[in-house]
Amino acid sequence: MYNFTTAEKLLEICEEHDFSIDEVLLRRELNRDPLATREKILAELDRRLNVLRDGINEGLHREDKSVGLMVGGIAKKLISRFKNPEFHFFHSKVTTKAMIYAIATNENNACMGKILAFPTAGAAGVTPGVLIAAQEEYGYKDDEMLSAMLTASAIGLIIAENATLAGAGGGCQAEIGSAAAMAAAALTQLRGGTPEQCVTAATLALKNTLGLVCDPIGGMVEVPCVKRNGIFSTMAISASDLAMAGIESFVPFDQVVDAAKRIGDAMPEAHKETAMGGLATTKVGLEQTKKLGIKITGV
Amino acid sequence: MIGPSSSHTAGALKLGLTSRHIFGSQPKQAIFNLHGSFAQVYAGHATDRALLGGMLGFPTDDPRIKSAFDEAKTYQLDYDFPKINLGKEAHANTVKIVMTDDKDQITVIGESIGGGMINVSKIDQFQVRLPCSLARTFILIIWHNHAADFLDRIQGYIFRSGVELNDLQTHRNPENIDSALTIISTLEAIPSDIVETIKAQPEIFKIRVLDRIPV
């Protein structure tokens, strides 16, 4: 009875029972699996929250280069800038932190460190970046963080159900777009937003990433993925700000997801994680691919 | 999970792991035929190491994935990663895994559909639908000869054990209408004595029990 595959249905259930989004998702899980309990689900989420924190921490301290030698040490450099009183980021403290933490997570990922796919590994930085930075700066409690993670998951679930989360399936809009939408909704819930405002924040974030292709150099999750996670975490915060300020999306969430699906289907194969177009086939991209001994031949 | 890609690393591992469970044990040899994006960018995503890691039974967050080639040597698993073109209809992240040991050979085709989710679409000659949400349940995979009352009999045994059926699918071999593959999913484990009774049915020539594999 708590099942949903669209945001419209999700908001309907929230309205009917006066539930938050996370409560609906939790009850949906309990209904689906007779062996599940609320305690077990929350304990697993808590374990995952710690994976997020550890991933950021590892990423901030890493000095090694990634598998494809294109990233490594970016987060470490940024956090030392952040701590330097002589250097000023234009963003607020929380937004700057979110950006750095998102990059830290993805750099850790590119070095084959442990992360949580959120919803994918390539886009794993955005949501932890935004959520952990928000907690550190605003003191949200851990149980509020777990609820926010569930809200993010509900958004990801709707996108997975009606479009795709894979770069190979729908380009980067499917990955970073979903991640930004999930982060925007989760942050909006942390800030005390209504279920409608959470969905609005997700809508604005996803709408803003439509059309983004997946063209990483050598097909590796490094360039442009790592920095893109950082920059899109700030976009997720913008989307949440707009939603909290009472701005609505002209196009509802489900229709934006449908647009993402249609755009993904129409996207050329060269721009769907095949390393056969875009940044991957720039001069420097091809040089790096050759240097690494990766052969992109087509099949 | 261990990075760098949920579809090309974690998903690949789960395809390896699920295939291992369908084979029933570690095979002597596993040939991973890579299609589409898998064939293009597998090296940079450690798709090869992840597939091997799964075939060796590792979970998605096992640091040994990084050294899976060495681990494969330790566990005496032969492997290869040829490229294959399964046609335009196939998902971009598809792998055809052929597992062999002295007694048996099983072929599994599966897709990694994003966010670490997978789907098994073919077992040997049979088109199946085995998404990871189903693989996480208690599963019986039965290779059997087609007989009119076979499914009724099996369902009867399960019904009497009090365990509720979650999903039941039977697929016929298009090249041999006598042979069939049945997949039964239940949310709780079927008691072992009932499983033994099912195993003893004369139509069955191969059966695998997948007990909520972590995919």
Side-chain angles (χ1 to χ4, degrees):
Chain A
M1 75 184 282
Y2 300 105
N3 206 8
F4 61 91
T5 53
T6 63
E8 194 184 350
K9 178 72 183 167
L10 170 64
L11 289 176
E12 211 180 280
I13 302 171
C14 288
E15 165 97 32
E16 192 188 334
H17 301 275
D18 198 21
F19 284 158
S20 52
I21 292 176
D22 58 289
E23 183 62 28
V24 177
L25 186 64
L26 221 148
R27 285 174 185 249
R28 178 182 182 273
E29 288 300 305
L30 292 173
N31 270 0
R32 273 160 56 95
D33 183 357
L35 303 175
T37 64
R38 187 174 285 262
E39 292 69 35
K40 268 200 234 170
I41 293 172
L42 291 176
E44 173 59 21
L45 274 174
D46 191 56
R47 191 186 69 79
R48 293 183 185 196
L49 178 58
N50 283 318
V51 174
L52 302 186
R53 289 203 187 100
D54 294 346
I56 289 171
N57 208 20
E58 247 176 76
L60 289 176
H61 292 95
R62 280 198 105 103
E63 291 177 11
D64 53 336
K65 282 279 172 197
S66 58
V67 182
L69 310 171
M70 289 175 275
V71 294
I74 303 170
K76 191 171 161 43
K77 183 170 183 178
L78 283 170
I79 201 72
S80 77
R81 289 278 188 278
F82 184 72
K83 287 175 178 160
N84 178 358
E86 306 286 303
F87 185 86
H88 294 289
F89 284 95
F90 232 79
H91 273 310
S92 68
K93 208 173 159 200
V94 64
T95 308
T96 307
K97 253 191 181 179
M99 177 173 77
I100 298 173
Y101 287 0
I103 288 176
T105 302
N106 264 77
E107 220 163 22
N108 194 34
N109 178 58
C111 299
M112 287 189 84
K114 184 167 161 181
I115 54 102
L116 183 75
F118 211 144
T120 66
V126 178
T127 310
V130 169
L131 291 185
I132 303 294
Q135 186 182 34
E136 282 183 11
E137 292 302 310
Y138 289 88
Y140 298 115
K141 296 195 178 63
D142 270 6
D143 58 346
E144 294 175 280
M145 295 287 280
L146 305 187
S147 299
M149 285 165 73
L150 279 172
T151 296
S153 307
I155 295 296
L157 191 151
I158 296 167
I159 301 172
E161 196 69 42
N162 299 290
T164 171
L165 299 175
C172 196
Q173 57 167 8
E175 300 216 15
I176 210 82
S178 305
M182 291 164 75
L187 177 64
T188 304
Q189 165 143 340
L190 270 184
R191 297 168 75 183
T194 62
E196 285 80 10
Q197 283 172 317
C198 293
V199 170
T200 299
T203 314
L204 296 172
L206 185 62
K207 206 162 63 172
N208 200 39
T209 53
L210 289 181
L212 203 60
V213 300
C214 180
D215 57 350
I217 293 176
M220 311 184 84
V221 192
E222 300 191 8
V223 177
C225 321
V226 171
K227 290 166 202 154
R228 181 172 289 171
N229 269 265
I231 298 173
F232 272 85
S233 70
T234 69
M235 192 274 281
I237 295 174
S238 303
S240 173
D241 267 345
L242 290 181
M244 287 303 287
I247 307 301
E248 289 173 3
S249 174
F250 189 76
V251 185
F253 186 74
D254 296 321
Q255 293 185 36
V256 175
V257 173
D258 178 56
K261 162 91 174 119
R262 284 183 285 114
I263 293 167
D265 287 348
M267 213 175 258
E269 291 303 314
H271 296 157
K272 286 198 272 198
E273 211 172 343
T274 53
M276 292 171 77
L279 289 171
T281 49
T282 54
K283 185 164 172 282
V284 66
L286 291 171
E287 280 167 7
Q288 184 69 14
T289 307
K290 197 174 164 198
K291 198 169 118 191
L292 293 168
I294 297 172
K295 287 193 184 67
I296 309 291
T297 52
V299 270
Chain B
M1 59 163 281
I2 300 294
S5 166
S6 54
S7 55
H8 288 62
T9 321
L13 183 135
K14 290 178 181 180
L15 285 167
L17 185 67
T18 307
S19 301
R20 177 196 170 102
H21 281 268
I22 293 172
F23 193 73
S25 58
Q26 187 200 299
K28 276 200 156 172
Q29 186 194 56
I31 305 297
F32 303 93
N33 299 275
L34 305 172
H35 165 87
S37 175
F38 264 12
Q40 287 300 309
V41 298
Y42 72 95
H45 287 86
T47 306
D48 43 6
R49 282 181 269 181
L51 283 164
L52 272 180
M55 193 56 73
L56 294 169
F58 301 166
T60 55
D61 60 352
D62 195 320
R64 286 178 297 175
I65 296 165
K66 275 178 104 162
S67 53
F69 296 129
D70 293 336
E71 298 289 342
K73 250 182 230 157
T74 312
Y75 286 94
Q76 298 183 318
L77 172 67
D78 281 340
Y79 58 85
D80 196 13
F81 297 94
K83 291 182 184 182
I84 195 172
N85 188 345
L86 294 168
K88 265 202 162 319
E89 294 298 306
H91 188 278
N93 299 331
T94 301
V95 60
K96 176 181 172 185
I97 306 177
V98 184
M99 295 162 287
T100 316
D101 69 8
D102 298 337
K103 286 173 281 193
D104 206 1
Q105 180 173 78
I106 293 181
T107 302
V108 170
I109 296 182
E111 302 95 37
S112 177
I113 57 176
M117 289 178 287
I118 60 156
N119 181 41
V120 169
S121 57
K122 207 167 178 187
I123 299 174
D124 291 337
Q125 302 304 316
F126 306 97
Q127 298 280 353
V128 301
R129 36 173 211 284
L130 184 59
C132 49
S133 56
L134 205 57
R136 276 195 297 266
T137 65
F138 185 90
I139 294 250
L140 291 178
I141 301 178
I142 307 170
W143 288 255
H144 59 96
N145 280 323
H146 183 68
D149 67 330
F150 177 74
L151 283 181
D152 290 344
R153 219 183 311 139
I154 301 294
Q155 275 180 277
Y157 293 130
I158 296 172
F159 178 76
R160 261 170 273 160
S161 76
V163 173
E164 208 181 319
L165 263 187
N166 177 50
D167 189 55
L168 185 148
Q169 38 181 294
T170 290
H171 308 277
R172 306 287 281 277
N173 182 349
E175 287 151 33
N176 174 8
I177 53 159
D178 285 337
S179 91
L181 183 98
T182 293
I183 299 180
I184 292 169
S185 153
T186 57
L187 296 179
E188 291 166 85
I190 298 173
S192 55
D193 56 323
I194 304 290
V195 172
E196 289 309 315
T197 310
I198 293 173
K199 278 182 179 173
Q201 300 308 304
E203 293 88 350
I204 295 179
F205 48 90
K206 195 151 60 179
I207 184 164
R208 293 288 181 266
V209 180
L210 276 56
D211 195 354
R212 288 160 290 206
I213 57 175
V215 292

